[in-house]
């Protein structure tokens, strides 16, 4: 399984942005005295990989002294191959490997997929009780169109109950043993012309917050994290989704983060980034990822791809990241550790 994903400026979000150009107020900058001052210590650096690539991509790099641990992405189907039958063996193996090296492990539970195949449990897709279990998505971003994908229909209470059952099983097994568990980005682009799940933006938003609250409830010693970058149907907080997400996370002790560090990128600056600045120091953990597509973007000031230092400066100082997850293809990971 590859971890490569499309950066999350989906076509529908861009369309929303154009519709709101000049109409929605820019999210407020951090008021004086809020949060805390810019970080003086660099965030801890972690590797990022799919669980299936752990042996080939992670193990050759894990002994670097500048790497504190690993985040692995695990699809729902791999964790629950049959209904109520959980398989956590791959996580146990990765954890054993890392603990022997005094490194930490984060797990991202993946319920959406940016290309085929959809790695959701078969029962979820075939049992009529779940009304299809997923919605088709169309994926676009600033780097071009992507393949059709799918997202679990979390807005369906029956589907969400199954997902929360998985989170509870993970907590029963790993709470206090993992450094963190996170849910993937909030951005999605449901193909409304093909959807039969009853998707609405509001129902999706409420379902994601419900999962955040549940995760924080069952993970008492392991930090629970939600990636947030965009909300479907919203731009520049014009529905209040973004602000409500950060307030909810603060109130429930949920960490936040995001799948891409793109310094000063306009789309992100009009969505989640200002809130990371505003809430700096008010969240239990901020975790930002530098994923494969991010290395294809260039710094408009230099005309060159962003450097490690530029990613860390923006992710740490501006966004307040405590940890940063790096795709194993990051150029600096293939140079000697300093």
């Amino acid at each position: 399984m590859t971890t490569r994903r499309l950066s999350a400026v989906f076509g529908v979000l861009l369309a929303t942005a154009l519709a709101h150009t000049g109409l929605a107020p820019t999210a407020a900058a951090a008021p004086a005295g809020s949060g805390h001052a810019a970080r003086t210590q660099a965030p801890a650096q972690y590797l990022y990989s799919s669980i299936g690539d752990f042996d080939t991509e992670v193990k050759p790099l894990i002994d670097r002294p500048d790497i504190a641990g690993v985040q692995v992405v695990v699809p729902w189907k791999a964790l629950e191959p049959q209904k109520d039958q959980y398989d956590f063996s791959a996580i146990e193996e990765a954890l054993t490997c890392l603990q022997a090296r005094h490194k930490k492990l984060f797990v991202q539970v993946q319920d959406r997929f940016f290309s085929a195949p959809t790695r959701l449990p078969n029962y979820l897709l075939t049992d009529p009780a779940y009304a299809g279990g997923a919605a088709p998505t169309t994926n676009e971003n600033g780097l071009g169109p992507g393949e059709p994908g799918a997202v679990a229909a979390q807005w369906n209470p029956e589907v969400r109950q199954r997902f929360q059952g998985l989170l509870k099983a993970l907590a029963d097994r790993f709470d206090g043993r993992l450094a963190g568990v996170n849910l993937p980005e909030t951005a999605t682009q449901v193909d409304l012309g093909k959807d039969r799940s009853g998707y609405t933006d509001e129902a999706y938003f409420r379902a994601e917050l419900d999962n955040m609250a549940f995760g924080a409830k069952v993970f008492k010693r392991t930090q629970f994290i939600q990636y947030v970058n965009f909300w479907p149907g919203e731009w520049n907080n014009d529905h209040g989704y973004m602000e409500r997400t950060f307030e909810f996370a603060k109130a429930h002790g949920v960490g936040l983060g995001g799948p891409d560090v793109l310094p000063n990128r306009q789309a992100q600056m009009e969505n989640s980034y200002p809130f990371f600045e505003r809430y700096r120091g008010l969240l239990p953990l901020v975790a930002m990822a530098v994923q494969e597509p991010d290395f294809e973007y260039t710094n408009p000031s230099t005309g060159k791809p962003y450097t490690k230092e530029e990613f860390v400066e923006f992710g740490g100082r501006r966004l307040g990241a405590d940890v940063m997850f790096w795709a194993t293809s990051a150029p600096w990971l293939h140079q000697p550790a300093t």
Side-chain angles (χ1 to χ4, degrees):
M1 171 184 133
T2 178
T3 59
R4 182 174 178 84
R5 54 171 290 280
L6 294 174
S7 300
V9 187
F10 298 113
V12 67
L13 298 173
L14 293 176
T16 305
L18 294 174
H20 289 75
T21 299
L23 298 179
T26 301
S34 68
H36 60 66
R39 294 181 60 88
T40 57
Q41 183 177 352
Q45 310 301 321
Y46 283 69
L47 302 175
Y48 148 79
S49 172
S50 72
I51 190 68
D53 293 330
F54 188 86
D55 286 347
T56 57
E57 295 189 6
V58 171
K59 283 186 175 179
L61 299 171
I62 193 55
D63 290 320
R64 289 178 61 105
D66 50 0
I67 292 298
V70 180
Q71 180 202 49
V72 292
V73 180
V74 191
W76 185 349
K77 184 175 183 177
L79 297 172
E80 190 184 12
Q82 302 292 331
K83 188 175 182 179
D84 289 324
Q85 295 181 16
Y86 299 111
D87 182 357
F88 300 146
S89 58
I91 297 177
E92 287 283 7
E93 290 175 11
L95 187 59
T96 298
C97 172
L98 294 173
Q99 287 178 331
R101 293 164 168 80
H102 305 288
K103 311 269 184 173
K104 298 180 180 180
L105 179 64
F106 284 74
V107 172
Q108 176 170 312
V109 183
Q110 196 73 7
D111 72 335
R112 60 205 62 200
F113 305 93
F114 300 94
S115 62
T118 298
R119 291 171 291 277
L120 295 170
N122 290 335
Y123 77 84
L124 203 70
L125 304 175
T126 58
D127 189 329
Y130 306 106
T137 58
T138 57
N139 306 313
E140 287 188 31
N141 67 24
L143 296 174
E147 301 176 50
V151 57
Q154 297 283 3
W155 49 93
N156 179 324
E158 299 297 327
V159 174
R160 191 163 70 255
Q161 183 181 48
R162 295 304 312 168
F163 187 71
Q164 292 181 358
L166 169 63
L167 294 180
K168 177 64 165 57
L170 276 168
D172 289 345
R173 181 77 165 264
F174 293 106
D175 190 28
R177 300 173 63 201
L178 299 174
V181 170
N182 76 281
L183 301 185
E185 64 192 72
T186 52
T188 193
Q189 184 182 347
V190 170
D191 188 338
L192 297 178
K194 297 179 181 179
D195 178 50
R196 301 295 181 267
S197 70
Y199 170 89
T200 67
D201 295 338
E202 181 68 23
Y204 171 69
F205 172 73
R206 292 182 179 277
E208 294 298 279
L209 260 58
D210 188 54
N211 284 337
M212 287 169 61
F214 185 86
K217 177 182 177 181
V218 296
F219 285 98
K220 304 180 187 306
R221 293 173 294 162
T222 288
Q223 182 62 57
F224 192 74
I225 304 154
Q226 171 70 60
Y227 274 0
V228 55
N229 47 356
F230 303 93
W231 283 107
E234 172 175 273
W235 198 263
N236 213 349
N237 196 44
D238 60 0
H239 287 65
Y241 291 158
M242 194 64 69
E243 186 165 13
R244 287 152 64 188
T245 302
F246 277 76
E247 274 298 307
F248 191 90
K250 175 186 170 185
H252 289 79
V254 177
L256 294 178
D260 297 293
V261 177
L262 294 173
N264 299 308
R265 198 78 181 174
Q266 183 177 359
Q268 280 83 356
M269 292 301 296
E270 294 182 3
N271 286 279
S272 63
Y273 282 1
F275 288 92
F276 280 109
E277 294 188 79
R278 186 190 304 184
Y279 282 78
R280 191 168 55 230
L282 302 178
L283 300 170
L285 185 79
V286 173
M288 303 299 297
V290 187
Q291 299 185 348
E292 294 92 334
D294 303 343
F295 305 122
E296 299 179 35
Y297 287 88
T298 58
N299 183 337
S301 299
T302 65
K304 299 178 181 180
Y306 290 104
T307 65
K308 175 192 176 184
E309 291 72 25
E310 289 167 335
F311 281 125
V312 171
E313 172 71 14
F314 189 83
R317 284 186 173 272
R318 286 288 298 277
L319 304 183
D322 300 292
V323 300
M324 292 180 69
F325 304 123
W326 294 85
T328 55
S329 60
W332 67 270
L333 288 171
H334 301 277
Q335 300 171 359
T338 57

